[in-house]
Amino acid sequence: MQKVHEPDFIRPDDDLRFFTELPKPELHLHLDGSLDPTLALELARTRKVDAPRDWAGMRAALVAPERCVDQADLLRAFDLPIALLQDEEALERLADHVVRAKAAENVRYMELRWGPHLHTAKGLTQSQVIAAVARGARSAAAEVGVQVRLIVTALRSHSVDENRALAVAAVAAKDLGVVAFDLAGREAAFPDPLTFKDAFDVARSGGLAITLHAGEWGGAAQVRRALEVAPTRIAHGAVAVDDAALCEELIARGVVLDLCPSSNVQAAIVPGYGDFPILALHRRGVRVTLNTDDLIVSDLTLSEEYLRVRRRLGATVTELLALARTGYEVAFLKEAERRPLLAAFDAWVEERLAQ
Ligand SMILES: [Zn+2]
């Protein structure tokens, strides 16, 4: 991609349109945090789940507060979606919805993640959950022309055996688009990712990429700890900025941080949006990507998150284009799959610069 000298091809009032039209990748997005209120209302009615009965009430129940006490508090926002998503049709429809919603703002490549074991409370197997999400994602992706891959997420609060079985199911679903294995959940209560070393080993030896959530509690030490499972990418991990040696290690190992500023503000990991260190990390040379985490829990589109980084953190358009390009560069894709996405992105940028 040619170097963009600080462009004047975009006026301030064009910013949101520019970022909406930008062909973006999104690498850190949770399925169950992206349940739209209309589908939630229908699921609550037809599945007889105790939930608000009107759209505004449902929306208020699905969007987490702008400021939670901590990560565990933010995670309570997932209880209702998970209660509503306990059958194959519900999971398939949600996956379809999320892919279409992202395509509508020109996300061209997405990695959709979720914890299949959370959806087994009413009898589905982990494999059935994975297959249902894959069906919904795949059919929508084919229609709207988006590339979708799936990341299977283990939960820190689940047992060693449950997460090991999940890794086996994830490996068996590679043909369905599963590309990586992840760990998420309450970090303060379950701080040690090596508890699940066995599950990570099964996933890795089965050909899946390894990522995990880290640094949502416990500061830079937790990001350092995450490196013990040798991930390719870390979900969050922004607090690494506080530890210069750790940043050097991330750079040396080429480990990427998939950052979500608004979500981290909600989880009280940073004092405010203006303190989020995405630009400090990027300028220091740590590879970072920009993502939303959740469509409804944070009530946020990816285009809006780009706009926030521009307006509230003062990122240049050049820097934001670099973050988007990094997303394609580090996506869990084969090189032959990555090349056309990068070429399309570069062509789009070049065309805009020529205008
Ligand atoms: Zn996440």
Side-chain angles (χ1 to χ4, degrees), residues 238 259-261 273 275-283 286 288-291 309 313 323:
L259 301 175
C260 309
Y273 202 100
D275 304 296
F276 194 79
I278 187 166
L279 294 178
L281 289 160
H282 174 64
R283 289 167 186 168
V286 179
V288 296
T289 66
L290 179 59
N291 313 273
V309 174
L313 296 179
L323 296 182

Side-chain angles (χ1 to χ4, degrees), residues 28 30 213 235-236 293:
H28 185 171
H30 293 263
H213 284 62
H236 301 303
D293 220 4

